[in-house]
Amino acid sequence: MRKREFALLVGPSMLVMFGLLVVPLYRTIQWSFQEVQYGAPGVFVGLQNYTAALTDPRFGRAVLFTVVLTLFVTAALVVLGYVIATLVNQIGKLRPVVLGILLVAYVLPAVVGAAAFSWLFDTNFGGVANLVFTRLTGTEILWFTDVWPNRVMIILFTIWHLLPFSMLIILAGLQGVPDEIIEAAKIDGATSLKSHLYVIVPTIRGVLFFVTLISIMDVLRTFDQLIPLAPQAVEIGNESIMLYIYNIAFREGSERLGLGSAVSVLTILLILLMLTPFIRDTFKEARAAR
């Protein structure tokens, strides 16, 4: 492909990316060093916004909640996604039907799916799941106001919502595993479990890394599903970083865009920190493949 043709094909996309990513990022970094009010130019305050964020216990709770949620849900997505993908890979003609049913949870907007999911635990809408847990435990569980029941509900929804994507990507990786190496492992006496652990998983290691990367980024951005699932998020400590940014920058009376921008920059650094091991391994595999 000639340079001119390449520029014509890539140029529009680069301009859109510059406008939608680079310019807002520059503005966010600029505002993070300023005190910003709507309709007025920002006033430079140095590191005051970063100091306020890092010394705010509420921000610390939001970071802890988000990181723990990310680690737990990501691990569940990779493990359950692999198990379900393995089962689906063994289905014949009904595979498209099964995939269509499984993907419903993922294609639903998060806030819509979360609202419907919350009805399972809300007695005002029947609360089927709440009724089952009440019968099993003998006590009434307050899913929306108690800390850990609410966290369990958030974790269950996040896994339910993101699992189809993980499963689909892993399924694509499983379909690319050569049948010859699996047959060779069986001839050598490998059990089904050992075939997965020592043959199939190493073969699709890059796919699993990709699923892990996307899952971490998706869960770290947890926001809109908390509106119906955790209406008392601030009071009970189940506020995610994204919800914290929204609350302090736009919702709680005194809009603090500078502080919200500083937290956004810190969030970007946190995402890069959590993704660094996987990005490094991905680059190593890319070099080895050359």
Side-chain angles (χ1 to χ4, degrees):
M1 182 180 293
R2 297 177 181 178
K3 293 182 178 179
R4 181 176 297 178
E5 294 175 348
F6 179 80
L8 290 174
L9 293 173
V10 178
S13 299
M14 294 298 295
L15 289 175
V16 172
M17 289 183 62
F18 180 83
L20 296 180
L21 296 177
V22 178
V23 174
L25 178 61
Y26 167 76
R27 181 65 69 183
T28 298
I29 295 175
Q30 181 186 35
W31 280 356
S32 69
F33 296 100
Q34 298 177 345
E35 182 179 350
V36 184
Q37 299 293 332
Y38 288 111
V43 179
F44 181 77
V45 293
L47 297 175
Q48 180 176 322
N49 289 322
Y50 290 95
T51 303
L54 294 174
T55 56
D56 185 2
R58 179 178 164 189
F59 174 62
R61 290 193 298 269
V63 171
L64 180 61
F65 170 78
T66 306
V67 170
V68 173
L69 177 69
T70 301
L71 295 176
F72 188 89
V73 171
T74 300
L77 290 175
V78 174
V79 174
L80 293 177
Y82 182 86
V83 172
I84 297 175
T86 301
L87 296 175
V88 173
N89 195 37
Q90 299 173 0
I91 299 176
K93 296 181 180 180
L94 291 177
R95 184 184 300 172
V97 178
V98 174
L99 288 176
I101 295 173
L102 292 175
L103 286 173
V104 170
Y106 184 72
V107 299
L108 282 175
V111 68
V112 175
F117 192 86
S118 68
W119 295 344
L120 296 174
F121 301 87
D122 192 341
T123 54
N124 294 320
F125 296 94
V128 176
N130 180 63
L131 178 62
V132 172
F133 279 103
T134 301
R135 292 286 179 86
L136 291 176
T137 61
T139 57
E140 181 72 22
I141 301 175
L142 303 178
W143 296 98
F144 298 92
T145 56
D146 284 352
V147 178
W148 281 104
N150 188 246
R151 289 177 180 176
V152 170
M153 186 170 60
I154 294 170
I155 290 172
L156 290 176
F157 168 77
T158 308
I159 294 174
W160 175 77
H161 179 60
L162 298 178
L163 185 58
F165 173 80
S166 302
M167 178 273 301
L168 191 62
I169 300 300
I170 296 174
L171 177 61
L174 290 176
Q175 292 177 344
V177 177
D179 294 332
E180 293 79 7
I181 62 174
I182 299 177
E183 292 296 330
K186 291 181 179 179
I187 293 173
D188 290 338
T191 62
S192 179
L193 178 60
K194 289 185 177 180
S195 296
H196 283 283
L197 291 177
Y198 300 110
V199 178
I200 300 177
V201 169
T203 303
I204 63 169
R205 184 166 174 258
V207 174
L208 296 178
F209 274 168
F210 175 77
V211 171
T212 303
L213 280 171
I214 300 300
S215 299
I216 289 175
M217 289 188 291
D218 282 342
V219 183
L220 281 174
R221 293 186 288 108
T222 296
F223 168 63
D224 46 353
Q225 58 262 49
L226 294 182
I227 304 301
L229 290 176
Q232 304 295 325
V234 178
E235 290 77 10
I236 63 178
N238 289 348
E239 185 180 32
S240 69
I241 298 176
M242 296 296 114
L243 185 59
Y244 173 79
I245 294 173
Y246 170 74
N247 284 332
I248 63 173
F250 302 106
R251 188 180 181 188
E252 296 180 348
S254 59
E255 291 82 3
R256 293 175 289 176
L257 295 179
L259 179 59
S261 298
V263 176
S264 297
V265 174
L266 293 174
T267 303
I268 293 172
L269 296 177
L270 175 63
I271 292 174
L272 292 175
L273 178 64
M274 295 190 68
L275 295 182
T276 296
F278 303 99
I279 296 175
R280 184 175 61 246
D281 288 344
T282 302
F283 277 118
K284 286 182 180 179
E285 288 191 357
R287 290 197 202 99
R290 294 176 183 176

mmCIF file of all heavy atoms in Angstrom, residues 108 111-120:
data_model
loop_
_atom_site.group_PDB
_atom_site.id
_atom_site.type_symbol
_atom_site.label_atom_id
_atom_site.label_comp_id
_atom_site.label_asym_id
_atom_site.label_seq_id
_atom_site.Cartn_x
_atom_site.Cartn_y
_atom_site.Cartn_z
ATOM 1 N N LEU A 108 -27.565 -5.819 26.285
ATOM 2 C CA LEU A 108 -28.402 -4.878 27.026
ATOM 3 C C LEU A 108 -27.547 -3.740 27.578
ATOM 4 O O LEU A 108 -26.447 -3.980 28.080
ATOM 5 C CB LEU A 108 -29.102 -5.576 28.191
ATOM 6 C CG LEU A 108 -30.328 -6.434 27.893
ATOM 7 C CD1 LEU A 108 -30.789 -7.127 29.169
ATOM 8 C CD2 LEU A 108 -31.454 -5.598 27.315
ATOM 9 N N VAL A 111 -27.279 -0.040 32.420
ATOM 10 C CA VAL A 111 -28.253 0.507 33.358
ATOM 11 C C VAL A 111 -29.603 -0.197 33.220
ATOM 12 O O VAL A 111 -30.309 -0.409 34.213
ATOM 13 C CB VAL A 111 -28.394 2.038 33.160
ATOM 14 C CG1 VAL A 111 -29.033 2.368 31.823
ATOM 15 C CG2 VAL A 111 -29.172 2.657 34.302
ATOM 16 N N VAL A 112 -29.957 -0.590 31.988
ATOM 17 C CA VAL A 112 -31.211 -1.316 31.779
ATOM 18 C C VAL A 112 -31.120 -2.714 32.385
ATOM 19 O O VAL A 112 -32.026 -3.169 33.099
ATOM 20 C CB VAL A 112 -31.547 -1.395 30.274
ATOM 21 C CG1 VAL A 112 -32.788 -2.244 30.044
ATOM 22 C CG2 VAL A 112 -31.733 -0.002 29.697
ATOM 23 N N GLY A 113 -30.018 -3.404 32.092
ATOM 24 C CA GLY A 113 -29.838 -4.736 32.662
ATOM 25 C C GLY A 113 -29.767 -4.702 34.176
ATOM 26 O O GLY A 113 -30.314 -5.587 34.851
ATOM 27 N N ALA A 114 -29.104 -3.666 34.730
ATOM 28 C CA ALA A 114 -28.994 -3.564 36.186
ATOM 29 C C ALA A 114 -30.351 -3.308 36.832
ATOM 30 O O ALA A 114 -30.644 -3.849 37.904
ATOM 31 C CB ALA A 114 -28.021 -2.443 36.554
ATOM 32 N N ALA A 115 -31.175 -2.486 36.185
ATOM 33 C CA ALA A 115 -32.517 -2.226 36.732
ATOM 34 C C ALA A 115 -33.343 -3.507 36.764
ATOM 35 O O ALA A 115 -33.996 -3.815 37.768
ATOM 36 C CB ALA A 115 -33.220 -1.156 35.895
ATOM 37 N N ALA A 116 -33.302 -4.266 35.659
ATOM 38 C CA ALA A 116 -34.049 -5.525 35.625
ATOM 39 C C ALA A 116 -33.465 -6.520 36.625
ATOM 40 O O ALA A 116 -34.212 -7.252 37.299
ATOM 41 C CB ALA A 116 -34.009 -6.109 34.209
ATOM 42 N N PHE A 117 -32.134 -6.558 36.729
ATOM 43 C CA PHE A 117 -31.478 -7.476 37.668
ATOM 44 C C PHE A 117 -31.836 -7.134 39.103
ATOM 45 O O PHE A 117 -32.030 -8.025 39.942
ATOM 46 C CB PHE A 117 -29.962 -7.413 37.460
ATOM 47 C CG PHE A 117 -29.195 -8.497 38.162
ATOM 48 C CD1 PHE A 117 -29.004 -9.732 37.572
ATOM 49 C CD2 PHE A 117 -28.641 -8.271 39.417
ATOM 50 C CE1 PHE A 117 -28.286 -10.727 38.214
ATOM 51 C CE2 PHE A 117 -27.927 -9.257 40.065
ATOM 52 C CZ PHE A 117 -27.749 -10.495 39.460
ATOM 53 N N SER A 118 -31.945 -5.837 39.413
ATOM 54 C CA SER A 118 -32.261 -5.419 40.784
ATOM 55 C C SER A 118 -33.654 -5.861 41.194
ATOM 56 O O SER A 118 -33.924 -6.039 42.387
ATOM 57 C CB SER A 118 -32.131 -3.902 40.915
ATOM 58 O OG SER A 118 -33.144 -3.233 40.172
ATOM 59 N N TRP A 119 -34.569 -6.038 40.225
ATOM 60 C CA TRP A 119 -35.924 -6.474 40.554
ATOM 61 C C TRP A 119 -35.933 -7.872 41.161
ATOM 62 O O TRP A 119 -36.859 -8.221 41.899
ATOM 63 C CB TRP A 119 -36.796 -6.446 39.311
ATOM 64 C CG TRP A 119 -37.004 -5.066 38.759
ATOM 65 C CD1 TRP A 119 -36.773 -3.887 39.410
ATOM 66 C CD2 TRP A 119 -37.452 -4.717 37.447
ATOM 67 N NE1 TRP A 119 -37.043 -2.817 38.589
ATOM 68 C CE2 TRP A 119 -37.471 -3.294 37.368
ATOM 69 C CE3 TRP A 119 -37.831 -5.447 36.335
ATOM 70 C CZ2 TRP A 119 -37.850 -2.622 36.221
ATOM 71 C CZ3 TRP A 119 -38.232 -4.768 35.179
ATOM 72 C CH2 TRP A 119 -38.234 -3.375 35.128
ATOM 73 N N LEU A 120 -34.909 -8.676 40.850
ATOM 74 C CA LEU A 120 -34.825 -10.014 41.442
ATOM 75 C C LEU A 120 -34.640 -9.950 42.953
ATOM 76 O O LEU A 120 -34.967 -10.907 43.673
ATOM 77 C CB LEU A 120 -33.664 -10.794 40.823
ATOM 78 C CG LEU A 120 -33.757 -11.119 39.328
ATOM 79 C CD1 LEU A 120 -32.458 -11.757 38.855
ATOM 80 C CD2 LEU A 120 -34.930 -12.052 39.062
#
